[in-house]
Amino acid sequence: MRVVSLARARHRPIDRLRSVFTAAVVAGVTVLGATHAIAPAAAAPEPTAGASVEQQLADLIAAGLRPAPDGRRPQPIVDTGSSSGSGSGSAARSHASRVIGEGPEASAFLAAFVNGLSHPDAAPAGANKPDCRPSAEHPRPVVLVHGTWLNAYDTFAYLSPRIAREGYCVFTFNFGRSSLFEGGGLGPLLPGRYGVGPMEDSARQLRDYVDTVLAATGAEKVDIVAHSQGGPVSSQYLKFEGGADKVGKLISFGGTNHGTSLMGMATLGRLMTNLGLNILGFYRPLIGQANIQQVVGSEFYANLNRDGDTVPGIEYTAVGTRHDQISNPFEWTFLRPGPDAPVQNITLQDGCEQDMSDHLTLMYSPRVAAIALRALDPQTSIELTCTFNPWMIGGGGSL
């Protein structure tokens, strides 16, 4: 049996995949349209002697980039965080932005996704009404928090108007905005792919946004409805950014509250990284910091859940779907109750096997809408519906 040293193994991914990654980056982005400054495929540069795997990959990406109109040549930023692929990294940056205008109500995820590509900063219907003031029946505004590679519109185009029609003041924003060159990975090359920056930064952006909502409405607290990465970002806000005194309820759907194994692939990557072969660091420039942090076993989750899943004084609801291909095993979305922090964990298919919602179409399920409204107000008379919601398409209960 031939023995290969770890030092040589570290550089083999570049040797084997140099041409594959160059072609994939160039071809994949060219599909998005000529508006992106990506050059035709060129010969891959030879790796710099002694350079890290991440730097060599960044060099490959840079080889396919044309200069910007002002003459500057953009350069991918290599995350210099910890070798575990878990830290925020000094080079990673992100920011938040308010949504502009209002997009149409949508009953299918695919329809909302397409509209979100052409109007990436639109607000979902019913949200961000400047004159909305909380009522005595619903004194807490509802803040919607989207997930990774998504935006406020394509996540909540179905749910937002339904919450608003029940008399709630609904607010949402886009967080974790970061370009390829800021460490956000390839996702942001598509319009509206937000939630890619370090989750600690996103939690601070949520903190600032909640403060803005409270100041505008005069409310004392908000309730949060979160999807996917929005779950742990909201928990980070509650635990470390002063959110515990400003939030009444946290309701998460498909929340990556304990990370994801991505059908075992992420678990394998974490295992290899922890053994010394930094596989996750290798992929960081491609998929972005937030995705790396959501791999099971990251330092982010070790810190987030060190003292338990919950914060005293907050009411939690965590909903998972058995067909979730992103947040899996889907049971990892569930939370363990703590002192003065009741938790309701719900499997979407319990009592409704015909709801085929996956990670994305989850937010386009009538049953999810009913669960959200019941969690916001247990006294509501909203019926807990059971309808077919197709996997990957979503149709608000119909095709």
Side-chain angles (χ1 to χ4, degrees), residues 278-346:
N278 193 8
I279 293 295
L280 296 179
F282 178 78
Y283 285 110
R284 188 183 293 115
L286 289 178
I287 65 176
Q289 184 63 31
N291 276 316
I292 294 297
Q293 286 184 305
Q294 288 173 91
V295 173
V296 62
S298 72
E299 292 175 9
F300 174 84
Y301 287 114
N303 185 58
L304 178 67
N305 298 318
R306 179 174 291 111
D307 297 321
D309 294 353
T310 59
V311 172
I314 309 294
E315 297 178 38
Y316 293 83
T317 301
V319 180
T321 171
R322 293 195 179 105
H323 305 293
D324 200 320
Q325 73 277 50
I326 302 297
S327 181
N328 63 72
F330 81 92
E331 294 91 348
W332 287 1
T333 198
F334 296 149
L335 299 168
R336 294 179 292 270
D340 191 26
V343 173
Q344 185 178 22
N345 290 317
I346 300 172

Side-chain angles (χ1 to χ4, degrees), residues 178-329:
S178 183
S179 71
L180 167 66
F181 315 118
E182 295 171 321
L186 293 179
L189 293 176
L190 273 175
R193 301 313 97 199
Y194 308 139
V196 297
M199 288 197 282
E200 298 91 341
D201 289 353
S202 295
R204 287 187 282 271
Q205 293 158 21
L206 175 59
R207 172 199 65 196
D208 295 343
Y209 186 73
V210 168
D211 287 348
T212 299
V213 170
L214 294 177
T217 61
E220 295 183 0
K221 293 185 177 183
V222 303
D223 289 332
I224 292 176
V225 175
H227 173 239
S228 190
Q229 183 199 150
V233 164
S234 298
S235 290
Q236 176 80 11
Y237 163 58
L238 294 177
K239 290 185 175 183
F240 304 114
E241 299 297 337
D245 295 329
K246 300 175 182 179
V247 176
K249 299 180 178 182
L250 172 55
I251 306 162
S252 63
F253 295 92
T256 51
N257 295 316
H258 297 96
T260 175
S261 76
L262 278 180
M263 303 297 186
M265 290 183 292
T267 301
L268 178 62
R270 176 65 64 193
L271 216 75
M272 295 176 71
T273 293
N274 290 345
L275 288 173
L277 183 60
N278 193 8
I279 293 295
L280 296 179
F282 178 78
Y283 285 110
R284 188 183 293 115
L286 289 178
I287 65 176
Q289 184 63 31
N291 276 316
I292 294 297
Q293 286 184 305
Q294 288 173 91
V295 173
V296 62
S298 72
E299 292 175 9
F300 174 84
Y301 287 114
N303 185 58
L304 178 67
N305 298 318
R306 179 174 291 111
D307 297 321
D309 294 353
T310 59
V311 172
I314 309 294
E315 297 178 38
Y316 293 83
T317 301
V319 180
T321 171
R322 293 195 179 105
H323 305 293
D324 200 320
Q325 73 277 50
I326 302 297
S327 181
N328 63 72

